[in-house]
């Protein structure tokens, strides 16, 4: 399998409903909750790409472009953007969809770096 095929096959998409228990006093999704969901999708993407033990080593940048209101649906999409020797980078986007209307818009974009490790928690080469 080529690197491009591995990247394509590891693309991960998850949908969630935004309920009041995940929102702040502005009735929008907590930023920390968004980051938690993004890291989870990034982890799944990295693991599906490498099929190795992967750990998050950094969230390189997270840009909150639009608030995510309660009562909406979000789609989180993870995609491998770079593969190094022992690490890889995953970009994650969160899109907002109204429950009862067409259309969607980008709300959050972030980048996460993962390292492949062995059973002794030492970095190992990412399987490409």
């Amino acid at each position: 399998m080529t690197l491009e095929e591995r990247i394509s096959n590891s693309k991960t998409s998850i949908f969630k409903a935004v309920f009041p228990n995940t929102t702040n006093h502005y009735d929008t999704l907590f930023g920390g909750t968004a980051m938690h969901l993004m890291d989870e999708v990034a982890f799944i993407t990295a693991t599906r790409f490498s099929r190795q033990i992967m750990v998050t080593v950094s969230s390189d940048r997270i840009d909150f472009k639009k608030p995510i209101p309660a009562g909406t649906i979000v789609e989180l999409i993870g995609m491998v953007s770079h593969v190094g020797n022992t690490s890889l980078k995953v970009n994650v986007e969160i899109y907002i969809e109204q429950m009862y209307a067409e259309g969607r818009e980008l709300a959050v974009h972030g980048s996460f770096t993962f390292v492949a490790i062995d059973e002794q928690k030492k970095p190992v080469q990412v399987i490409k």
Side-chain angles (χ1 to χ4, degrees):
M1 181 180 312
T2 68
L3 180 61
E4 292 77 21
E5 288 171 326
R6 287 181 78 90
I7 289 171
S8 178
N9 290 345
S10 66
K11 182 178 177 181
T12 301
S13 178
I14 295 175
F15 288 87
K16 295 277 191 182
V18 180
F19 292 115
N21 66 324
T22 62
T23 61
N24 58 29
H25 58 290
Y26 297 114
D27 210 25
T28 60
L29 187 68
F30 278 113
T33 302
M35 292 168 61
H36 169 91
L37 294 170
M38 293 173 78
D39 187 36
E40 183 177 339
V41 168
F43 166 76
I44 293 168
T45 303
T47 302
R48 292 180 70 212
F49 175 85
S50 69
R51 299 299 175 179
Q52 294 171 274
I53 301 169
M54 302 297 289
V55 294
T56 308
V57 293
S58 72
S59 54
D60 305 323
R61 181 178 179 116
I62 298 176
D63 294 317
F64 295 86
K65 300 181 178 298
K66 299 228 180 242
I68 301 173
T72 57
I73 298 168
V74 292
E75 180 181 17
L76 296 99
I77 302 171
M79 187 80 154
V80 173
S81 61
H82 175 78
V83 181
N85 185 32
T86 61
S87 67
L88 58 83
K89 226 179 247 292
V90 177
N91 289 334
V92 179
E93 295 176 328
I94 301 179
Y95 289 90
I96 306 168
E97 295 182 13
Q98 298 301 321
M99 284 197 187
Y100 309 110
E102 295 294 325
R104 59 194 255 144
E105 56 187 330
L106 179 64
V108 186
H109 177 270
S111 180
F112 296 79
T113 302
F114 289 82
V115 169
I117 60 171
D118 63 16
E119 292 79 20
Q120 288 75 46
K121 299 187 172 115
K122 302 288 185 213
V124 294
Q125 186 169 0
V126 173
I127 298 171
K128 300 175 189 177

